Amino acid sequence: MASPAFASPPLAENPYAITTPNGVDEEDFVEIGGIRQWVTIRGEDRANPVLLIVGGTQVDGPGAILSPYVRTFQPWEKDFTVVQWDPRGAGKTFVAAGGTIGPDLTIERLVQDGLDLTGYLRHRLGKAKIVLLGVNFGSTLGVKMVMARPGLFSAYVGAGQIVKPRAERERFGYERLLRLATSAGDQATLADLKISGPDPFREPRDPARIAAFQRAFVKYRGPVPSNPMQEALSAPHWTVADLTAAQAAAARNDQVLGRAWGESFDYASLGPRLSVPVFVIQGEEGTSAPAPMARAWLEGLTAPKKMFVSIPGAGNHALETHAADYLALLDRHVRPVALAAERRPGR
């Protein structure tokens, strides 16, 4: 991979600039897998563990990113060097490619890109190992990355660990809504759920069924970020055009790869053994990656250390709506493991 001359905007233009003596504040395109891919590296102390975030929360499939939400993750930068990555076909990488997605958008290619990026980060930041955090579709890539090259990672964190096909997860979400609406005596929502049925997103799609389900879902979903677009527009180097393109990229990703991944991917291949400590930390009320399914997956996994924590009251957007709680859990359970891995003799 080529090493870019990372660019940081002048302080007057960047309210998020990091000015600590040993800090790092870099954002630029890195050549990965033959194309330019957007990477940001932010942290107050280079001695901290490196945390690479893969995936996003806008959708459960490929194309979702978290790199525009600098404000959300800013508190994390005190204890971790936070790396955000827009993979091929997503975010600013999609924009740089002219808004096109080539035939190389495959799970195998994305996993290799992630491993190449990990090698780049280890060299650039002088780390033996890094912490990998996978979100939704990124949890598939993350587990595959760890399985392929466990020696690169000190720990794996699942923040929305998807382990079942979409149909099973959607049925879980439907049954959750049915249970909550029944408990509340909510006849209007029960009527909507009767219209939608448990599988409103299966082909051929019926707009009336989808609309009925969405009305029920919005009423009982977990917390969501208050104004993500405003936050994203405040991030360095992001424009309205970039964000619009990123949303289009997520929809295109679902057509190219997401539906096949959601329906026919071999989720049993995510295990049964990982050779690094595994932490699953996610919202208790999440439906994109239901907590009971993630817990069962972790229980069946063999790993040197493993831990499951669900955050009460949090849903699909736990990383954003409960960022402080999430950081506290990372600090308590993951950061010591990462620091110990760096100190280990012969690392």
Side-chain angles (χ1 to χ4, degrees):
M1 297 186 301
S3 295
F6 269 88
S8 294
L11 295 184
E13 299 176 14
N14 182 6
Y16 301 117
I18 293 172
T19 59
T20 50
N22 199 37
V24 55
D25 179 4
E26 303 176 346
E27 48 272 317
D28 211 332
F29 289 97
V30 178
E31 187 172 323
I32 305 171
I35 67 170
R36 297 165 67 237
Q37 302 196 31
W38 182 250
V39 178
T40 68
I41 306 173
R42 295 178 51 84
E44 294 186 9
D45 188 346
R46 290 173 182 265
N48 281 329
V50 175
L51 177 72
L52 169 59
I53 300 176
V54 180
T57 57
Q58 301 96 330
V59 294
D60 68 6
I65 56 170
L66 288 167
S67 59
Y69 307 117
V70 180
R71 185 187 307 154
T72 291
F73 295 100
Q74 199 169 17
W76 295 28
E77 296 162 5
K78 181 179 179 181
D79 301 324
F80 293 90
T81 297
V82 180
V83 179
Q84 296 274 12
W85 168 43
D86 292 9
R88 67 178 64 225
K92 288 180 74 71
T93 300
F94 174 79
V95 175
T100 61
I101 293 178
D104 54 357
L105 185 68
T106 65
I107 289 175
E108 294 74 20
R109 178 68 260 179
L110 291 168
V111 168
Q112 186 57 53
D113 285 352
L115 292 172
D116 289 346
L117 173 59
T118 300
Y120 172 83
L121 295 171
R122 292 171 71 226
H123 174 74
R124 185 169 187 86
L125 298 171
K127 298 293 184 180
K129 299 184 178 185
I130 69 173
V131 178
L132 181 59
L133 188 151
V135 193
N136 292 336
F137 176 75
S139 71
T140 295
L141 302 185
V143 171
K144 288 293 189 181
M145 288 166 63
V146 170
M147 293 176 70
R149 297 287 304 279
L152 303 181
F153 305 100
S154 57
Y156 170 72
V157 182
Q161 186 67 43
I162 291 180
V163 296
K164 294 290 183 180
R166 274 184 183 161
E168 293 187 42
R169 292 183 283 119
E170 288 170 0
R171 178 171 285 277
F172 173 92
Y174 176 85
E175 291 174 350
R176 171 183 175 274
L177 292 173
L178 195 63
R179 182 176 66 254
L180 292 173
T182 299
S183 177
D186 185 347
Q187 297 304 316
T189 295
L190 291 172
D192 274 336
L193 292 174
K194 185 174 182 180
I195 293 170
S196 74
D199 58 350
F201 298 101
R202 299 280 71 79
E203 301 290 352
R205 296 188 178 189
D206 180 346
R209 294 180 63 203
I210 292 174
F213 181 84
Q214 293 289 13
R215 285 193 296 270
F217 174 73
V218 168
K219 187 179 291 188
Y220 289 101
R221 68 185 175 187
V224 298
S226 58
N227 198 334
M229 179 63 77
Q230 184 181 52
E231 178 177 351
L233 285 173
S234 75
H237 304 295
W238 282 89
T239 67
V240 172
D242 289 340
L243 293 167
T244 301
Q247 292 175 337
R252 182 73 179 124
N253 268 256
D254 198 52
Q255 295 171 348
V256 173
L257 176 60
R259 291 186 186 179
W261 164 79
E263 295 170 10
S264 58
F265 178 75
D266 179 15
Y267 289 93
S269 69
L270 301 177
R273 179 185 299 274
L274 291 183
S275 300
V276 305
V278 179
F279 304 85
V280 176
I281 306 171
Q282 57 192 65
E284 192 174 79
E285 299 300 323
T287 53
S288 293
M293 294 180 182
R295 183 193 291 272
W297 171 79
L298 186 65
E299 288 174 350
L301 195 71
T302 300
K305 176 183 178 67
K306 58 184 185 179
M307 177 179 294
F308 180 89
V309 181
S310 60
I311 301 176
N316 294 335
H317 295 265
L319 281 175
E320 298 137 291
T321 60
H322 292 66
D325 295 330
Y326 209 101
L327 174 61
L329 291 166
L330 290 175
D331 281 341
R332 187 182 311 153
H333 302 297
V334 180
R335 192 170 187 272
V337 171
L339 290 173
E342 285 296 317
R343 293 193 297 264
R344 192 170 298 131
R347 61 183 177 86

